[in-house]
Each structure stands twice: as structure tokens, then as C-alpha cells.
Amino acid sequence: MNDTERDRDDDLLLLAERFEAYRGHLGAVAYRMLGSAAEAEDAVQEAWFRLSRSDARAVGNLGGWLTTVVGRVCLDMLRSRRSRGEQPLDTWHPGPSAEPDPVQDAVLADSVGAALLVVLDTLSPAERLAFVLHDLFGVPFEEIGGVLGRTPAAARQLASRARRRVRGADAPKADLVRQREVVDAFLAAARDGDFDGLLAVLDPDVVARGEAGATVGAAAVASGAKSFAHLARVARPALVDGATGLVVYADGRVERVLTFTFVADRITSIDILTNPTDLSALTIEPAQP
């Protein structure tokens, strides 16, 4: 064995040691995604193969890189499983990782259970990935969007839709009635350029997100909404993934969608979706007059 081969083997050994430090975390991500111990192990092994064939020196955040790689692998496996109509067969519950971490093991034991996996199985692959990576592992929506090939706003919407199902569902009818009242007030104020009317329905810390970036604070969002007056005149209330939103149509097709998050009868966030790929992923139903 020459010096070059020896150095390559030493580098690979060091890389394997670094990978092992993340194995427990990666296994937890994969199991939540797949609900199968065998498939989770396959996904983790595939992540190792991809890492070993990559230039690890160019990876700034190895843990984040591996998490997104496992996410991509699991997404492909879920899509393949759905196309074949298969379901995971085992009911394994994770034990300690190779290097025990009592805090992590307690969290795993508490949060990974049959009930959660049953609910996760009702989600689409994209919803499941967005929810698992963001809500359970804190992966930013920018990275999740990259895995899914969608914008961060669309990834956020997928996670929100999944979260409602995991919590046991769609908003109660009474909530939808109140949501409609708030959205109607927002729409009327935007149409009239009524700054005070907008402030009345916006949370002081409201965040409005679009492809151009984010606007924070009620005053800033209200000022931006006033410029939305020409679109507000043609926007129509609709149920977007089970919650009250606004839809703008152009030539019979959906051109723009606004989705809202509500807390205590105030709007706390607004997502403005215009990307055709993102729009096609939404379930839009006409709202009652």
C-alpha cells in the first residue's frame, strides 16, 4: 500500500468516526419518516455511501448535510412505497444509539410511538418530510424547500397542513367562521387602503412572507397591504388546505394565494404564494358566500 492509499484510508476512517457520531440522530429522522426499522437503517447506510463518495472537506455543517441527505433518501423511499401501495410491516421502537445519550433517548421514547406513526402515514411524502424535518428536528424551511424542490413558503405550508392533521385536524367550523370574518375585514381594509382597519386585524408582530422576502410588524405589513388594493379587488376568500385564505385568479387559473395563521382573532402570519409548483400543491375549495 503506497502513501496515497494509506492517507485515503486514514481519511475514510476519520470520516466514518464523524459519521457514527450522527448515526443515532439520522436513525431517528429516518424512522419518523419511514416507520420501519429496516428501511430506516437502509436510509442511514445510503447516507454513508453518499458521504463516502463526496468531498467531505467542502461540507461546512456535516450534521445538517447528513440530515438533508437522509431526508432526500426517505422521500424517494416513501414515493416508491406509495407507487407500489406498500405499508411498513414492523412496529419497532428505537433503543439507545451506539453512543448513549440519555436525554435524546428519553425524547425518542416519548415522541416516537405507534399513534404518531399512524397519523404520519396519512400524510403525503412531502407533508411528512416537511413536518418531520421542521417540527421534530428544527431543519429550516429553506433547506426543506431545497430537498423538495419547492420554495421555503411552500415547505412551510406543507408543514402547517401536516401539523393540523397530526393535532387531530382541520379547524372546527366555529373557527372557520371567525377566520372568515377576520379575512373579510382584512380584504375590505386592503381594498379601501384603510391603514387603521388593517392594524385592527393584524397582530403587532405579524410576519408577511413572499418570494421577495419577509416583512415584519403590523405597521410595515399594513403599508404593504395598502399597495395590494388593486389585487384585493379581485381576490376571493377560499378554503386553502382547510383554512380560510384568499385566492387571486387570472384567466381562470390560480395566480396568487394568501394563506393566514390566526391567533386570538388576529392574523399572525401571511404567506403569499405565486410559484406555479407551490400553487399546484394546494387544496383550494370555494368558500361559502
Side-chain angles (χ1 to χ4, degrees):
M1 179 182 293
N2 58 40
D3 289 344
T4 300
E5 291 173 334
R6 187 176 294 108
D7 289 344
R8 187 183 303 117
D9 286 347
D10 288 344
D11 288 345
L12 193 60
L13 181 60
L14 289 173
L15 188 61
E17 290 176 354
R18 293 179 66 194
F19 177 82
E20 286 302 317
Y22 293 103
R23 182 179 286 276
H25 164 77
L26 298 176
V29 172
Y31 182 68
R32 284 172 169 89
M33 284 292 299
L34 300 168
S36 163
E39 289 185 340
E41 180 59 28
D42 287 345
V44 172
Q45 283 303 110
E46 178 61 24
W48 162 247
F49 292 144
R50 295 189 185 188
L51 177 63
S52 66
R53 295 193 297 265
S54 302
D55 181 7
R57 292 169 297 184
V59 178
N61 178 357
L62 184 61
W65 188 90
L66 287 169
T67 299
T68 55
V69 166
V70 166
R72 287 191 180 98
V73 172
C74 290
L75 185 63
D76 290 342
M77 294 172 74
L78 283 171
R79 286 170 173 165
S80 176
R81 180 197 294 168
R82 286 213 165 194
S83 70
R84 298 191 305 266
E86 297 178 358
Q87 295 295 329
L89 299 178
D90 58 299
T91 56
W92 171 79
H93 293 274
S97 59
E99 295 186 17
D101 180 342
V103 174
Q104 182 190 56
D105 290 340
V107 171
L108 291 180
D110 182 61
S111 62
V112 179
L116 176 60
L117 292 175
V118 167
V119 177
L120 291 179
D121 275 340
T122 69
L123 306 178
S124 72
E127 289 170 340
R128 187 162 178 160
L129 181 136
F131 174 77
V132 168
L133 290 188
H134 181 265
D135 285 43
L136 302 185
F137 292 98
V139 176
F141 285 120
E142 288 74 14
E143 294 180 26
I144 296 171
V147 174
L148 293 170
R150 299 183 183 180
T151 65
R156 184 181 295 107
Q157 187 67 21
L158 286 166
S160 177
R161 185 192 311 170
R163 195 177 302 120
R164 286 197 296 272
R165 295 189 186 177
V166 169
R167 286 173 179 169
D170 294 331
K173 189 172 183 179
D175 288 347
L176 290 177
V177 171
R178 184 55 188 146
Q179 286 177 11
R180 176 63 183 273
E181 292 173 352
V182 174
V183 168
D184 282 348
F186 171 85
L187 189 57
R191 285 171 175 165
D192 296 339
D194 181 358
F195 187 80
D196 291 335
L198 288 165
L199 291 181
V201 295
L202 296 174
D203 184 86
D205 298 318
V206 63
V207 179
R209 310 178 188 92
E211 292 186 4
T215 303
V216 181
V221 172
S223 295
K226 287 170 64 180
S227 65
F228 172 69
H230 65 292
L231 288 173
R233 294 188 185 96
V234 295
R236 296 291 179 267
L239 287 179
V240 181
D241 290 337
T244 304
L246 291 174
V247 179
V248 176
Y249 293 92
D251 299 324
R253 61 179 177 80
V254 176
E255 180 187 63
R256 181 182 309 246
V257 169
L258 276 70
T259 64
F260 302 89
T261 302
F262 306 88
V263 174
D265 294 339
R266 292 285 186 100
I267 295 170
T268 58
S269 71
I270 304 170
D271 283 301
I272 304 165
L273 306 177
T274 56
N275 184 288
T277 301
D278 298 343
L279 295 175
S280 66
L282 301 174
T283 300
I284 299 174
E285 304 172 64
Q288 295 297 321

